[in-house]
Amino acid sequence: MEKQITAKKNQAIPIFLVIIIVFLIIAVLLQNRHINRLENELSIYAVAEKEQSGSNAEINRTGSDSDNISPEKNRSTETDNDCQDRINKLESRIADMQEWQDYLEATMKKEESAKIEVDDKFRERQKLSISSFFKSFLEENNLSTNKKSEFIDLIIERQLELKNANSKIADQEEFQKERENIEADYDIQLSNLLSEDQYTAYQEYGETGQDRNFIGTINSRILSGDNQLNKQQVKDLVAGFYKIRQAVEDSMGIREIKSKGNSRSKEDRLKKLEADKKTLNEYSEAAKEIMTDSQMKEFNEYINLQKSAMKMEENRLSQMPENTD
């Protein structure tokens, strides 16, 4: 009997264990379902939180909820405003610079236009003067119409360059060097334009320019009517006066004074006056062989007036301090 009871108890234990295992399995399953549900709820909550955060951020960007703007957002907004201010200032400066540049360009155009106008007027005046000055040379050397025009244009351009150089260069020594360069350049151009004989005649004509001007003044303003000089007399007087002037300048060192430019020293000015008086005296002697008596009378009257003016200037200079320049 006891064996039967013991056997039944032994059979009951496995059944009990199976029941307990099944219960535990069911409990585990239920727990897993609960955990999964909680995880789903947490996921939904997280998504909702994210959407709500995005909504709040949008509200903050539009300025509807300024109290929720973070310090970082404030700093970002301030930085953007500062950048915009700098951009606005730069654009303003650029606009000012452009306005100034436009003003400078307009001013330069006006100055250039004015310079061109002045140069054009200078050319017009020079054309008349040079045509008159070189009239005899052009007639005597049989230049063609085209060569005459080119010749006059070159002389005008040379004078214009010298004029501009004189206005730009203050130092007299520097200007003298520039003058020599300009004249050398145009001498080459003139030698290419003219034949060898014509160029030689041009050089001689240029060297006697001062003498021809002097004779021209006498013939047009001093002598009148039948007393005016004929072409041969003019030619002979120019050649004679040129030789006299060159000899006096060489003997009295006037070439050295002239090489200094417009010297204002008392000594140089007195020496030039002395040379001019000597030149006029020798002109009178040379003219006796060429002019008629009536021409000589008017010529000497003019010479005496010139020497009287020189004497007055000499007295004025003599009273000036020795170191006056």
Side-chain angles (χ1 to χ4, degrees):
M1 178 67 73
E2 289 179 357
K3 288 181 179 181
Q4 290 176 351
I5 294 171
T6 302
K8 287 181 180 179
K9 286 182 179 180
N10 292 335
Q11 290 176 354
I13 289 172
I15 295 171
F16 178 75
L17 290 173
V18 170
I19 292 171
I20 291 174
I21 290 171
V22 170
F23 177 80
L24 289 173
I25 290 171
I26 292 171
V28 170
L29 291 172
L30 291 174
Q31 185 67 27
N32 285 338
R33 288 181 65 183
H34 181 65
I35 290 171
N36 289 334
R37 186 172 68 252
L38 288 174
E39 287 178 348
N40 289 334
E41 289 177 356
L42 285 171
S43 177
I44 293 170
Y45 179 77
V47 171
E49 279 290 311
K50 186 175 181 180
E51 291 176 352
Q52 182 64 29
S53 176
S55 176
N56 288 338
E58 183 66 22
I59 292 172
N60 288 338
R61 283 195 296 270
T62 58
S64 299
D65 192 3
S66 59
D67 292 338
N68 293 327
I69 299 176
S70 64
E72 290 79 6
K73 183 64 179 176
N74 279 332
R75 285 195 295 272
S76 176
T77 303
E78 291 171 358
T79 302
D80 289 343
N81 290 336
D82 290 343
C83 287
Q84 188 61 45
D85 287 342
R86 286 196 295 272
I87 290 171
N88 292 339
K89 288 178 180 178
L90 284 172
E91 289 178 347
S92 177
R93 288 182 65 185
I94 290 171
D96 291 342
M97 290 173 67
Q98 184 62 48
E99 184 178 351
W100 177 245
Q101 183 177 350
D102 292 342
Y103 169 76
L104 288 177
E105 288 179 354
T107 302
M108 289 175 67
K109 285 180 180 178
K110 287 181 181 178
E111 290 179 352
E112 184 64 25
S113 177
K115 182 179 181 300
I116 291 172
E117 184 178 352
V118 170
D119 289 349
D120 287 343
K121 289 181 178 178
F122 177 84
R123 286 187 179 92
E124 290 177 8
R125 292 194 301 269
Q126 286 295 303
K127 189 170 185 177
L128 293 173
S129 175
I130 290 169
S131 296
S132 175
F133 182 83
F134 284 100
K135 182 179 179 181
S136 297
F137 167 78
L138 296 173
E139 290 175 352
E140 293 170 5
N141 288 276
N142 300 318
L143 269 70
S144 66
T145 303
N146 289 338
K147 275 195 174 184
K148 284 180 182 179
S149 179
E150 289 182 49
F151 175 82
I152 291 173
D153 287 343
L154 281 175
I155 300 298
I156 292 173
E157 290 304 318
R158 181 182 64 184
Q159 295 301 105
L160 183 59
E161 280 201 38
L162 289 171
K163 171 178 168 289
N164 291 335
N166 188 41
S167 64
K168 292 178 182 178
I169 303 174
D171 184 74
Q172 190 61 42
E173 185 175 346
E174 185 179 349
F175 168 70
Q176 188 63 29
K177 290 179 180 178
E178 181 63 17
R179 177 174 183 168
E180 290 173 359
N181 292 334
I182 291 172
E183 290 181 343
D185 178 57
Y186 277 93
D187 278 345
I188 292 173
Q189 296 184 60
L190 288 166
S191 67
N192 292 333
L193 174 67
L194 304 173
S195 68
E196 186 176 349
D197 290 341
Q198 289 171 339
Y199 182 68
T200 301
Y202 157 73
Q203 288 181 308
E204 293 176 354
Y205 196 85
E207 291 174 357
T208 60
Q210 181 176 335
D211 310 292
R212 281 183 289 96
N213 282 337
F214 181 72
I215 300 299
T217 298
I218 291 172
N219 205 30
S220 61
R221 299 183 182 180
I222 307 304
L223 304 178
S224 58
D226 295 336
N227 273 344
Q228 284 194 320
L229 302 169
N230 59 43
K231 288 184 178 181
Q232 188 59 49
Q233 284 179 309
V234 170
K235 187 176 181 179
D236 293 341
L237 286 169
V238 167
F241 285 6
Y242 170 71
K243 289 180 180 179
I244 291 170
R245 182 171 59 83
Q246 293 294 305
V248 171
E249 289 184 354
D250 287 341
S251 64
M252 299 186 66
I254 303 303
R255 288 183 185 276
E256 294 178 8
I257 296 175
K258 285 184 175 182
S259 67
K260 301 177 185 177
N262 295 322
S263 174
R264 302 299 298 171
S265 75
K266 176 180 176 179
E267 181 182 359
D268 288 346
R269 292 163 73 183
L270 285 171
K271 187 176 287 188
K272 286 178 70 175
L273 281 172
E274 185 181 355
D276 289 342
K277 287 192 296 180
K278 183 177 181 180
T279 300
L280 289 178
N281 288 332
E282 295 195 20
Y283 280 175
S284 293
E285 292 298 319
K288 291 177 181 178
E289 303 296 326
I290 301 169
M291 291 185 180
T292 64
D293 291 342
S294 57
Q295 288 172 337
M296 278 301 301
K297 181 180 179 181
E298 292 185 78
F299 177 68
N300 281 330
E301 287 176 358
Y302 174 74
I303 292 296
N304 290 333
L305 286 174
Q306 291 294 308
K307 288 194 292 186
S308 296
M310 289 177 185
K311 183 63 177 178
M312 292 175 63
E313 178 65 11
E314 189 176 39
N315 292 336
R316 187 186 71 83
L317 287 173
S318 298
Q319 296 173 7
M320 291 173 63
E322 291 294 331
N323 61 344
T324 299
D325 290 331

